[in-house]
Amino acid sequence: MKKKAILINYTGRKGSGTWDAYGMAKALIAKGICCVGVFSSDVENKNEIQKLAFDKIVFIPTYSNMKSFILESLRFSKKHRNNIIKEFENYNIENIYCPMDTQWEKKISDCFPKAKVYLVCHEPLLKKGDNWITYKIFRTHMKKADAVIVHSKVFIDVVKRISKNPTYYMPLGQINYYGQYDDKKSMVTYSNSTVNYLFFGRIAENKGLDILAEAYRKVYDELDNSVSLSVIGNGDFSLYEKLYRDLSNVTIINRWIEDREVESIFLGHNLILICPYKEGSQSGVIQVARDYGIPMIVTNVGGLSEQVENEITGLVTNVDADEIAAAMIRLANDKELYNQISRNEKEEAKKYTWENSAVYLIDIMGEKNEN
């Protein structure tokens, strides 16, 4: 008799999706659900994934550039598909959970034609600077999935119009696993004598780094050397170099940040996270900062205002440099507000556990532990 299992299907290599997959798998396994997985052999948190009590994991080579993508895609049809089917021939896979869409999500899911596919959509809308070809592929995957899951309620109707299939809301779990590394690296040190503003994440046109430069200039004009700004993340920063060149007390770290380096970014005195996004769905950075009780300022776009309650767990502004600057100055000057938001953040973090998210998923799937 075949063993019933949920397949965790994720072949991304880096970023928050790797920890989303880890967090959900860990929570499902803790609830007695049999889980199997297909992951990239280059996934950044491979060691941590292997420590989980998966019944079986298959790691497959993925890609790092267009040439290797084409090569491995050809191999997928000839080799990987047969290998995946053979490795899981003793399992009855009724449900497949895809924590974030990837180029090969559907190829893997199609190995199990009778299974229902639950695909998490993080970015339902094409944003400025996004690759439209990739976006088109992911839209096709949404339409083919049996159900789509979003992390922001504001996008339920948007996704329903795209997929025409059932769409569910499930909170994004906390993704702070960065503190568990034995070989953590410290990459940034903040001054104890300044209020330290932080932007962390992928450098992209929708993230509002031009607005942040303008806002910080206004803040520095008023607060002078009592403030600093750190912009940390991977992506093309060339569009913003001139804007930041003559700003004072600014640190730019423009490269891919290793997981073992991340925690040091959120450790320091008087930290304030700034998310000046022009467009967006939700932010995993918010979830990380929340674990450390870091007050934050976010713009009222997409689902950010669902993640941050104005005046309670942060400040929410319009996409406007003057408003963002005013909020930055307010949090810098009002220590009582800063401390209260920090306390609220730590309490709020307790609500967004992967254990709670797993309950949502089990309910959505109608899954029962039959082991």
Side-chain angles (χ1 to χ4, degrees), residues 93-129:
I93 296 174
E94 295 181 356
N95 295 312
I96 299 174
Y97 175 67
C98 308
M100 187 180 286
D101 204 358
T102 66
Q103 299 281 7
W104 291 350
E105 175 274 314
K106 191 172 184 303
K107 286 179 179 288
I108 295 166
S109 295
D110 283 349
C111 293
F112 309 96
K114 294 182 179 180
K116 290 186 177 180
V117 178
Y118 294 81
L119 174 63
V120 179
C121 173
H122 289 257
E123 300 291 348
L125 299 175
L126 183 68
K127 305 186 302 299
K128 191 173 182 180

Side-chain angles (χ1 to χ4, degrees), residues 128-260:
K128 191 173 182 180
D130 283 350
N131 185 311
W132 70 269
I133 296 176
T134 300
Y135 175 71
K136 189 174 181 179
I137 291 171
F138 291 168
R139 278 178 67 102
T140 301
H141 290 180
M142 276 196 283
K143 291 177 182 179
K144 298 294 184 180
D146 295 280
V148 181
I149 296 169
V150 295
H151 291 316
S152 298
K153 294 177 183 177
V154 69
F155 289 115
I156 291 176
D157 290 337
V158 174
V159 171
K160 278 182 178 178
R161 290 195 295 270
I162 296 171
S163 70
K164 310 297 182 184
N165 291 318
T167 302
Y168 302 96
Y169 164 74
M170 183 181 76
L172 177 64
Q174 291 296 118
I175 55 176
N176 181 22
Y177 299 100
Y178 303 112
Q180 68 185 21
Y181 283 93
D182 294 329
D183 56 345
K184 287 182 287 188
K185 294 181 181 178
S186 180
M187 62 168 297
V188 60
T189 302
Y190 303 102
S191 171
N192 294 343
S193 61
T194 59
V195 172
N196 302 295
Y197 302 110
L198 167 67
F199 173 95
F200 175 61
R202 185 170 63 93
I203 306 299
E205 292 183 62
N206 69 297
K207 295 296 184 71
L209 284 165
D210 52 342
I211 297 174
L212 177 58
E214 184 181 351
Y216 180 72
R217 187 183 299 278
K218 296 173 184 293
V219 172
Y220 191 85
D221 285 345
E222 180 162 336
L223 300 181
D224 202 49
N225 284 324
S226 64
V227 296
S228 75
L229 171 64
S230 297
V231 176
I232 303 173
N234 191 45
D236 184 6
F237 193 73
S238 62
L239 291 173
Y240 312 106
E241 286 176 351
K242 289 183 179 179
L243 298 176
Y244 285 82
R245 188 173 296 159
D246 63 341
L247 296 178
S248 300
N249 290 358
V250 173
T251 299
I252 307 294
I253 302 176
N254 182 211
R255 62 173 174 81
W256 180 261
I257 309 303
E258 297 179 39
D259 281 354
R260 59 180 54 83

